[in-house]
Amino acid sequence: MGTGAGPAASPAPSTGPGTGPSAVPTPADTLVRVTRSGGFAGETHTLVVKGDGSWSRLDGKAQPEGTGKLSEQELTALRTALREADFARLPRIATGGPKIYDGFFHTFAHGGYEVAGEQGSLPPALERVADALPPFTAR
């Protein structure tokens, strides 16, 4: 199906000297990091979810813009989606879907692998991961 993606060196975004509760988790603490860019407004947002379900939302300059914590049920759903996605077997760049003008481009980092793709080209397994994430923007 796809080519195996090797482990990607993907350092966590830096937020400067902040060390408080909104500081970006270290890669060892991170369950998944997803960056979504594009859309009609051309914005970039990153979600970093830690293994305990706590999450941070960062803006395009890697500045904190929100935090929260997934419920046990939400965390279980995310972990299940990540496991079923089988990142080691996904193509590094998902292609082949229809062109969605003003669509989003997603980059997922999990378990030492990084995969990406445009909205409309993401495999269903990555769509399920995206659906299990907290919102990319404040509601």
Side-chain angles (χ1 to χ4, degrees):
M1 176 151 180
T3 59
S10 50
S14 173
T15 61
T19 58
S22 64
V24 177
T26 65
D29 293 336
T30 302
L31 175 62
V32 64
R33 185 187 80 237
V34 183
T35 299
R36 183 182 83 171
S37 59
F40 182 73
E43 295 179 350
T44 298
H45 299 276
T46 298
L47 288 169
V48 181
V49 182
K50 292 173 54 174
D52 67 358
S54 61
W55 56 266
S56 299
R57 183 184 318 111
L58 309 171
D59 66 14
K61 295 180 181 176
Q63 296 300 309
E65 61 177 10
T67 61
K69 185 157 183 170
L70 298 173
S71 69
E72 280 301 317
Q73 183 178 2
E74 291 168 329
L75 182 57
T76 297
L78 177 58
R79 285 183 183 279
T80 299
L82 289 166
R83 184 179 62 253
E84 291 175 354
D86 195 4
F87 275 63
R89 296 189 183 273
L90 290 172
R92 292 192 71 169
I93 302 288
T95 59
K99 176 67 177 165
I100 298 176
Y101 295 96
D102 293 327
F104 292 106
F105 187 85
H106 292 82
T107 303
F108 299 79
H110 169 69
Y113 295 94
E114 189 168 287
V115 297
E118 290 185 353
Q119 182 179 354
S121 292
L122 292 178
L126 285 181
E127 290 285 353
R128 286 189 292 275
V129 171
D131 290 344
L133 293 169
F136 279 94
T137 57
R139 292 184 181 170

